[in-house]
Structures are given as structure tokens and as C-alpha cells.
């Protein structure tokens, strides 16, 4: 099968209670693609400025990520700054400089157009239509969205929910979009809007997967030292979709395993700043942690 990811490639400035990093490489597309690359050969669509490091482009290539869909434009790369408090689940966006991302018009190279799985990572919901018009017949379309779009373009977000199979969001976003403070009721409400799966991520408390006739819950791997929570959500989606792309089966059993792989990959992403943990991560470590997860929930 093949997986196409549309998202941001970025510079992030991150502040945690213990440390601060300026303009390190991040972006929803970057995290998702790196996470998926441990399972499959993802294709990425995005835009960067001339200031984006060549060594990062080389790094993506060395992870067998297809970057034909990443265009390099005159100007500066998207920059996001976030601050975390003592609770790693709570973050504040300090600033967002869209730069070249402001007029991002995703264009899929011909070799991307027969994608089986399409992931629309946190982009303007009004860009979904033009992307979907470029792909032939995907078997699965997934999207993520953030508070910014839910607050600014709620109608567009609801319209897009009607066109996707999976909606990835954190629990706060699920409740906000559904207008219901109870996560279970909120998940059910969003299922009625179209997707067959709602994946509600709950930070250090794991995730709940709502299907039309089941709910599946997974804990997060207990972690004593969260260095940088940025990218956990996108890494979860990358592991989840990368695994489904690899096994080429979208059955209830594989969806459950995909959710565990998503959680496992996200648990590595937060162990270091930015994408650094992915530089040394191996498939062997992922498998070992998958087995550890099995022991954690066995009773
Ligand atoms: P996550 O922690 O998985 O929710 O995603 C963090 C990543 O999202 C960061 O690396 C940011 O660069 C990226 N990001 C933040 N805001 C936006 C936005 N408005 N559009 C696209 N990407 C964003």
C-alpha cells in the first residue's frame, strides 16, 4: 500500500520548565513521516523556505521518506513557538509565523495520486477538498485538527469530518468540537458526523478509540521523564497509519494493534527534544516496547 502525509515542516521554539530550544526542526508532517518510516515508506507533501536545513532533507531521505512533494520556496520556513508548564499535557502557543506556509497549496506529484492511505495533518480544513480532488481512490482518509481551526472554521471542520474515515484529536479537541464535556458522549457525537473511527489522544493517559460498535482504550507507556511532548500526537498518527500501511489490512484487530504502535512510537518521540529521539530509534526498540505494552495491560 502507500501512505501520503500532508503537513507542516517547521522550525519550533520550545520551552519546558527545565529547558528551552530555539528553532529546532519540527512540524506535523516531519514527526508523522519519521514515525511512519519505521513501518513503511511514506510520501510527504509540504513546503519549506530556503532556510530549511539541507541535512534534515537528507535525514528524511535516509529514512526512505519520499520528499518529491516537498517544495522549497523563497522565504522563511513556518515557525511555531510553544511553552509547556509543569503538566506536559498543557501547552500554550506563544507564536505562529506561517511564513511560506501561508500560501501553501498542496500539490501531489503524479506518483502520489494513487495513495491508499491519506493523512491530512493539521492543515487548513479548506485545503482538504483540493487535496482529495488529486487522489484517485484512497482506501482510508484520516485527519487531525487543532483548536485554532475548531475555533476559527468550525463549519469547515464539520464538513471535512463527513469526508474522512478517521479523526485523530486530543480529548480536549474532541470535547470542544462536539460541544460536550463528556469524552464518551463527545466521541459518539463525532462518529455520527461521518468518520468510522475517532481516536481521542489523552497525553500521558493514553488514547480511546471510538468505533461505531466498540470502544478500545490503551494506556500511555508510563514515562518518568517527558523531555519534550511536542509531536507526540503526530508521531501517534504516523505509527498508527504507517503500521496499517505495512500490514495492508484495515481490520478491527489491526486497528487495535495500530493504536498500540502509535502509542509506542509517541512514547519515544517525547524522550528527547524535537525529532532527536528518532535519529537513533530502531525497529528492534519499537518491537521491544510493543511487547512491554502487552505485559503492561495483560490481566
Ligand atoms: P503535536 O505536538 O503532535 O500536536 O504537533 C506539534 C507540531 O505541530 C509542531 O512541530 C508544530 O511545528 C506543528 N504546528 C503547530 N501549529 C501548527 C499549525 N497551525 N499548522 C501546522 N502545523 C502546526
Amino acid at each position: 500500500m502507500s501512505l501520503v502525509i500532508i503537513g507542516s515542516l517547521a522550525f519550533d521554539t520550545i520551552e519546558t520548565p527545565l529547558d528551552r530550544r530555539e528553532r529546532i526542526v519540527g512540524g506535523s508532517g516531519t514527526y508523522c513521516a519519521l514515525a511512519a518510516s519505521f513501518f513503511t515508506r511514506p510520501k510527504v507533501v509540504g513546503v519549506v523556505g530556503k532556510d530549511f536545513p539541507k541535512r534534515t532533507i537528507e535525514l528524511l531521505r535516509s529514512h526512505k521518506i519520499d520528499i518529491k512533494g516537498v517544495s522549497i520556496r523563497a522565504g522563511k520556513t513556518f515557525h511555531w513557538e510553544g511553552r509547556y508548564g509543569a503538566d506536559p499535557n498543557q501547552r500554550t502557543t506563544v507564536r505562529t509565523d506561517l511564513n511560506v506556509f501561508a500560501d501553501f497549496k498542496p500539490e501531489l506529484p503524479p506518483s502520489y495520486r494513487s495513495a491508499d492511505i491519506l493523512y491530512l495533518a493539521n492543515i487548513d480544513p479548506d485545503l482538504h477538498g483540493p487535496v482529495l480532488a488529486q487522489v484517485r481512490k484512497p482506501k482510508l482518509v484520516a485527519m487531525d485538527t487543532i483548536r485554532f481551526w475548531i475555533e476559527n472554521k468550525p463549519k469547515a471542520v464539520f464538513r471535512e469530518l463527513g469526508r474522512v474515515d478517521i479523526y485523530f484529536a486530543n480529548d480536549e479537541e474532541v470535547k470542544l468540537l462536539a460541544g460536550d464535556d463528556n469524552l464518551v458522549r463527545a466521541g459518539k457525537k463525532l462518529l455520527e458526523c461521518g468518520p468510522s473511527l475517532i481516536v481521542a489522544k489523552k497525553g500521558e493517559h493514553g488514547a480511546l478509540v471510538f468505533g461505531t460498535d466498540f470502544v478500545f482504550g490503551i494506556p500511555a507507556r508510563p514515562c518518568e521523564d517527558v523531555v519534550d511532548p511536542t509531536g507526540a500526537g503526530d508521531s501517534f498518527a504516523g505509527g498508527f497509519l504507517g503500521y496499517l500501511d505495512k500490514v495492508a489490512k484495515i481490520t478491527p484487530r489491526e486497528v487495535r494493534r495500530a493504536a498500540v504502535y502509535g502509542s509506542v512510537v509517541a512514547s519515544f518521540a517525547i524522550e528527547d527534544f524535537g525529532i532527536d529521539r528518532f535519529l537513533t530509534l530502531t525497529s528492534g526498540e519499537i518491537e521491544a516496547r510493543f511487547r512491554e505494552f502487552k505485559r503492561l495491560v495483560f490481566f
Side-chain angles (χ1 to χ4, degrees):
M1 299 233 290
S2 72
L3 165 64
V4 169
I5 298 160
I6 293 106
S8 57
L9 292 94
F11 285 126
D12 290 345
T13 295
I14 314 251
E15 196 174 304
T16 69
L18 294 179
D19 211 342
R20 181 179 164 90
R21 295 290 159 96
E22 304 266 349
R23 301 177 67 78
I24 57 175
V25 169
S28 54
T30 314
Y31 278 107
C32 184
L34 281 169
S37 73
F38 291 94
F39 305 93
T40 188
R41 295 183 166 203
K43 300 175 173 8
V44 190
V45 181
V47 61
V48 293
K50 290 239 158 52
D51 54 354
F52 199 68
K54 292 209 172 47
R55 64 175 186 283
T56 307
I57 299 278
E58 282 316 311
L59 170 81
L60 297 176
R61 278 209 189 100
S62 72
H63 275 255
K64 308 266 191 301
I65 297 168
D66 187 339
I67 51 161
K68 270 198 287 303
V70 177
S71 44
I72 303 173
R73 296 268 151 82
K76 285 185 176 170
T77 298
F78 172 79
H79 172 233
W80 173 80
E81 180 170 347
R83 185 184 300 138
Y84 296 90
D87 175 357
N89 295 330
Q90 297 293 326
R91 84 167 161 215
T92 312
T93 290
V94 178
R95 63 188 282 188
T96 301
D97 304 316
L98 290 173
N99 299 332
V100 291
F101 204 52
D103 26 50
F104 176 44
K105 302 230 168 17
E107 202 169 308
L108 277 59
S111 59
Y112 284 38
R113 296 182 182 218
S114 49
D116 295 297
I117 303 182
L118 188 67
Y119 181 54
L120 302 151
N122 189 2
I123 54 170
D124 183 339
D126 285 334
L127 289 178
H128 288 192
V131 171
L132 288 167
Q134 296 176 55
V135 283
R136 265 170 228 127
K137 225 173 173 255
K139 292 190 175 72
L140 193 144
V141 181
M143 70 180 267
D144 195 337
T145 194
I146 47 170
R147 178 176 267 275
F148 179 80
W149 299 120
I150 298 174
E151 284 172 343
N152 289 289
K153 292 194 174 180
K155 274 197 190 139
V157 173
F158 273 113
R159 182 192 67 218
E160 295 312 316
L161 276 187
R163 303 213 259 191
V164 302
D165 305 290
I166 306 184
Y167 174 49
F168 288 97
N170 63 36
D171 50 352
E172 188 213 26
E173 292 154 355
V174 171
K175 292 181 199 169
L176 180 70
L177 189 57
D180 196 319
D181 272 342
N182 179 287
L183 183 60
V184 181
R185 273 200 311 261
K188 282 190 179 159
K189 277 190 189 168
L190 295 188
L191 275 176
E192 284 164 16
C193 300
S196 46
L197 284 182
I198 307 287
V199 182
K201 295 160 290 177
K202 303 191 294 152
E204 59 180 341
H205 304 299
L208 277 181
V209 182
F210 296 98
T212 36
D213 52 3
F214 73 95
V215 180
F216 176 55
I218 34 166
R221 175 179 182 271
C223 176
E224 281 181 31
D225 200 12
V226 178
V227 175
D228 172 14
T230 312
D234 300 305
S235 303
F236 184 104
F240 187 108
L241 298 173
Y243 173 76
L244 285 184
D245 193 53
K246 174 182 154 186
V247 294
K249 269 191 274 181
I250 309 170
T251 59
R253 176 178 186 268
E254 297 302 354
V255 164
R256 283 165 190 253
R257 291 169 68 87
V260 175
Y261 275 111
S263 198
V264 165
V265 178
S267 77
F268 283 110
I270 63 176
E271 285 180 351
D272 206 341
F273 269 99
I275 56 171
D276 284 1
R277 184 61 180 92
F278 286 145
L279 308 188
T280 54
L281 183 62
T282 63
S283 301
E285 285 176 296
I286 293 176
E287 289 308 321
R289 203 167 273 189
F290 183 85
R291 290 192 295 273
E292 191 189 304
F293 231 93
K294 266 193 167 164
R295 290 193 293 275
L296 176 73
V297 295
F298 180 82
F299 65 91

